[in-house]
Structures are given as C-alpha cells and as structure tokens.
Amino acid sequence: MQMLTHTNFSAPHLIGRLSSSTYKNKLTKELKVTIDANSGFCFGVIYAIEIAEEILEDEGHLYCLGDIVHNDMEVKRLQDKGLKIIDYDKLKLIQNEKVLIRAHGEPPSTYKIALENNIELIDASCPVVLKLQNRIKNAHDKGENIYIYGKHGHAEVVGLLGQTENKAVVFQDMNELNANELPEQITIFSQTTKSTDTFYQIKDALQQTGKNVNAHDTICRQVSNRDLELRNFASKFDKVIFVAGTKSSNGKVLYNVCKSTNEATYFVSSAEEVKKEWFENNETVGVCGATSTPLWLMEQVKERILTF
Ligand code: SF4
C-alpha cells in the first residue's frame, strides 16, 4: 500500500487553492469606487417619502397621485409596502381615502376634486414648489404675461400652470417662442429643476429681442448647487457613473453637467446596467446621482462595480 506523505497528500490541494486565488486577482480590475456624499434625495423628496412610509406602517396602504419620485426602483420599494400610484382618472373615482400629493405639487383643480370626493389629501408638496406656485399666482393676479420655462406635461409644471387658470405659456426651448408674437412686457419663471445656465441664456436672448423681461430665477438651490458640486466631483475620477431614473428631469440636467466635465460619464438606472468593459484596471470611479436617486441604489451600483 502506498504511504501518504505530507508532500503527496497536500500539494494538489494547495496548488488548487493558490491558482484559484491568483486567477481571481488577475481578473479583478481593482477599481476604487467613491459615492458622492452630496448626491441623493433632496429634502423635498425625503419629506414626501417619510410621510408615505409613516402612513404605510400604520395603515398598510396609501394612494399617491403620480410616481412619488421619478425613480422606478424607489417607487417599487414603496409599492411593495402598500403604496398605490394613481392618475387623475382614478382620483375622480375614489372616495373617503387618503391621497398623498408628492413634492411636485398640484394645481387647484386637484384640491377641488378631493373636496368633492371626501378625499383626505396628505400634502407633501415641497415648500420650494409651493412658494413658486404663490409667486406665479400673485403675478397672474396682477395681470402679468407669464411664461414658464419648463417641460411640457411635467407634474410640477401642470401645478404651476394651474395657478394661472392655465393661461401662462409653457416653453421648453427658445425655438418655441416667436419674438414677433411676444407681448412687450413678459414675466418668466422657471420649473425648479431646469438648468440655470440655460435659463439665463433664455433671459438674454429674450432681452435681445427688445422686450421688457422680468425674469425670476426660480431654480431650486438643491439642484443648482449640485451643479457646481458635481462638476467638482466628476473631475476627480477616471470614470463617473451617474445613477437616475429615465423620467427624472434633474437627472438629465445633472447627468449633462457630469458629462460636460468628464467625458467618461455613463448614465444608468440600475446596478445591472453597469458594464464591466467600461473600466480599465486600477481606475478610480465616482458614483453620483440626481435629487431623486436613493442612496441604497448608488450603494448597489458601487457593490456591483467592486465585483468586476
Ligand atoms: S428639487 Fe428642490 S424644489 Fe424639487 S422637490 Fe427637491 S427640494 Fe423641492
């Protein structure tokens, strides 16, 4: 019978172990990943989600008019806890229920429907949006010609337009305005999540037409301040992964800010969308996002990158 010596017993086992660890090290890209401390939910979104979660914990269900945040992954997390997303048609049909108004705010017509249907509105409209609604209403009451720089059909813009009995003009591009048809005196407001640079370009372009322009920069500082912070963040890394939902307005704006600072910026909505081939060995990677991007999602993205 062959004797088992120390050498012939342990060698194949050890060799197997050594080679698999060496093999793994060769495959790992050794990426250094940092999440931007300034990215993630703004206070308006945090407030709406906290209210929703409190009610869901007590009552197990809650209606919400429209997506609570423009991030499908976060919406799904809350739907699993009992949040029911409804549209205006459904709002007209329900009675004696609680309905959450999200941070974007709503036009006066929504409050009217709620009153008629005995619906208890849980109003999580962001204070910044409410202030803008008031300013637009006051300007409208004074008879000013109101132009809103914003995205057609966006929930916040619908709420702003409602303050003017839907009489204001909404535009998302200068090309939509015909200088010959503009009144001599115009008042401009901006949707809170638009680009500050573009807003001032529009103001200048309108003034060059000879019109008297009363421009109100009503872009939320949670967005415009991130502009600068993100430029600084994006410039520090070899690669930047920007995480946001495809429906997020400020996601598009802030992604473009990163991309203009660092060409190697990639947009993803989930961790699965991140591709290994985007990275070279030993690169530094910055992960950042919009005001509607949850921290847990950026952490999932980081975890996935670290497996490459
Ligand atoms: S981006 Fe600003 S205005 Fe919009 S919800 Fe957040 S804090 Fe409010």
Side-chain angles (χ1 to χ4, degrees):
M1 191 174 88
Q2 189 190 354
M3 292 289 290
L4 284 176
T5 63
H6 177 75
T7 314
N8 68 13
F9 173 75
S10 59
H13 186 60
L14 272 178
I15 288 165
R17 269 195 192 170
L18 279 173
S19 46
S20 89
S21 112
T22 312
Y23 180 66
K24 186 169 183 277
N25 279 341
K26 272 190 184 155
L27 281 187
T28 303
K29 288 180 183 266
E30 312 237 338
L31 301 167
K32 193 158 182 292
V33 187
T34 307
I35 295 177
D36 177 23
N38 296 310
S39 284
F41 290 154
C42 60
F43 62 77
V45 170
I46 290 173
Y47 178 62
I49 290 176
E50 274 178 5
I51 292 181
E53 288 199 293
E54 260 174 43
I55 295 174
L56 288 170
E57 210 156 286
D58 288 349
E59 302 180 19
H61 84 282
L62 173 67
Y63 289 99
C64 178
L65 190 52
D67 284 348
I68 188 165
V69 58
H70 285 158
N71 188 286
D72 292 344
M73 310 279 282
E74 179 67 4
V75 169
K76 165 88 174 56
R77 188 184 73 82
L78 291 165
Q79 280 175 324
D80 289 346
K81 291 185 166 197
L83 192 72
K84 298 178 201 306
I85 307 295
I86 56 167
D87 58 16
Y88 288 112
D89 289 341
K90 175 83 184 187
L91 180 75
K92 289 175 193 156
L93 298 177
I94 61 174
Q95 294 195 325
N96 310 316
E97 288 281 359
K98 284 183 180 161
V99 175
L100 183 88
I101 291 185
R102 59 191 166 167
H104 291 318
E106 283 295 322
S109 55
T110 299
Y111 293 82
K112 189 164 170 279
I113 295 169
L115 205 60
E116 288 164 0
N117 287 8
N118 199 31
I119 289 169
E120 184 184 343
L121 287 179
I122 310 295
D123 198 342
S125 302
C126 174
V128 177
V129 175
L130 287 178
K131 190 173 167 199
L132 173 55
Q133 287 186 348
N134 275 333
R135 288 177 74 177
I136 291 181
K137 184 175 185 325
N138 288 338
H140 172 67
D141 290 346
K142 285 189 211 151
E144 296 178 27
N145 299 309
I146 298 170
Y147 286 71
I148 300 170
Y149 168 49
K151 186 176 172 196
H152 295 289
H154 186 284
E156 181 191 317
V157 175
V158 171
L160 301 178
L161 196 53
Q163 310 306 316
T164 67
E165 300 161 279
N166 296 331
K167 290 186 178 143
V169 175
V170 175
F171 68 103
Q172 55 190 42
D173 194 288
M174 260 305 277
N175 298 332
E176 294 176 23
L177 302 179
N178 182 345
N180 297 326
E181 290 172 4
L182 291 175
E184 284 312 306
Q185 181 119 20
I186 61 175
T187 301
I188 324 174
F189 291 95
S190 174
Q191 181 184 342
T192 57
T193 49
K194 294 304 258 181
S195 148
T196 313
D197 288 351
T198 314
F199 177 78
Y200 282 100
Q201 284 162 14
I202 286 170
K203 178 192 169 198
D204 291 347
L206 285 171
Q207 281 173 333
Q208 279 163 19
T209 65
K211 307 294 176 190
N212 191 344
V213 183
N214 185 11
H216 299 278
D217 170 358
T218 47
I219 293 150
C220 174
R221 293 301 162 236
Q222 291 271 310
V223 176
S224 58
N225 289 345
R226 281 188 192 201
D227 199 306
L228 292 176
E229 288 160 359
L230 269 182
R231 274 181 220 281
N232 185 28
F233 179 79
S235 66
K236 290 181 182 159
F237 300 92
D238 296 317
K239 299 283 159 63
V240 175
I241 306 300
F242 189 89
V243 190
T246 49
K247 294 183 218 158
S248 167
S249 268
N250 83 86
K252 286 189 191 83
V253 171
L254 296 177
Y255 164 70
N256 285 326
V257 163
C258 288
K259 186 86 178 163
S260 66
T261 308
N262 186 336
E263 182 55 32
T265 298
Y266 298 87
F267 184 102
V268 299
S269 295
S270 68
E272 292 71 38
E273 291 174 20
V274 184
K275 302 251 179 348
K276 189 175 180 178
E277 55 267 29
W278 293 344
F279 309 99
E280 303 294 333
N281 291 343
N282 301 312
E283 281 190 327
T284 56
V285 184
V287 175
C288 50
T291 57
S292 52
T293 306
L295 178 60
W296 62 261
L297 186 53
M298 289 187 282
E299 280 167 350
Q300 279 187 358
V301 167
K302 176 179 176 177
E303 289 307 312
R304 177 167 162 83
I305 296 169
L306 288 175
T307 66
F308 292 155

